[in-house]
Amino acid sequence: MGLRTEVKVSWCPGCGNFGILRAFEKAAERLVDEGIPRGRIVVASGIGCHGKISDYLRLPSFHVIHGRVPPFLTGLKLANPDLIAVGFVGDGDGLNEGVEHLIHAARRNTDITIFLHNNNVFGLTTGQVTATSPKGAKGKSTPYGNPENPLNPCNLMLVSGATFVARAFAGKHSQLVEIMYSAIKHRGFSFVEILQPCVSFNDFWKIREEIHDIREAESVENALKLCRDKTACGIFYRKEEETFEDAVHRINK
């Protein structure tokens, strides 16, 4: 039995979410082939177009409210550290409503994996700007242009203490599968920004020609320099540190 449910996929034709779904299926299938029971792989998704992904996966899945994927998965891991906890969030869901939860999960080094579907727009609610929208971008909420500077998600996670930070493109399948697999296998807080085109409200597919690969940095400082280039893809930085769950267990012995 495959990992896809019988639920009809209702994303817009050409949406970058299709690439993310297929890449995650491949990564999860590798885990199952390695002997990990599929019941140990738990998925949570937030509010937005990306959130439908939990409907399409034949895995234990939860659809939670705005911005709450990280704390939900933190509680899940504390209750059962043997679970593999994977979260899908959108740029609006994760960096507008839920930015504080992402920061706290990163600084704790909670042993969860977060995949950020970044299309620079609130697509489900018809095109408002998000925390990652470029300055000057016009949308339903900013008809005269976005007056705010955008967040750089990877920079934010690096300075918040994440122990695995990467960026990938939804249209570069093989690299996305490898990065997703590596993020899930990492012990500690893993964060992957996935550049995800929205065919309804932006022309994000045009960045395909600008995407380029980078080598993994050996320090946070060098990783910060690398990920300032928003078309750079690859694993920016990773290190091994005590996880939040290990620390809680050690303190409560």
Side-chain angles (χ1 to χ4, degrees), residues 32-46:
V32 173
D33 289 343
E34 290 171 1
I36 296 174
R38 70 172 63 202
R40 279 186 58 202
I41 307 170
V42 182
V43 167
S45 60

Side-chain angles (χ1 to χ4, degrees), residues 169-201:
F169 177 53
K172 200 168 181 179
H173 179 74
S174 296
Q175 183 188 54
L176 180 55
V177 172
E178 290 301 320
I179 288 177
M180 287 182 130
Y181 174 79
S182 296
I184 295 169
K185 294 286 283 186
H186 177 77
R187 285 196 83 247
F189 184 79
S190 299
F191 176 84
V192 181
E193 176 190 7
I194 306 174
L195 305 177
Q196 177 251 309
C198 171
V199 292
S200 296
F201 298 108

Side-chain angles (χ1 to χ4, degrees), residues 59-100:
L59 295 168
S61 302
F62 298 86
H63 199 176
V64 303
I65 61 174
H66 288 97
R68 302 320 196 272
V69 168
F72 171 80
L73 291 180
T74 298
L76 194 79
K77 284 289 293 190
L78 285 172
N80 187 350
D82 289 333
L83 295 176
I84 295 173
V86 179
F88 295 89
V89 304
D91 47 312
D93 167 67
L95 294 172
N96 284 80
E97 291 94 344
V99 66
E100 71 279 15

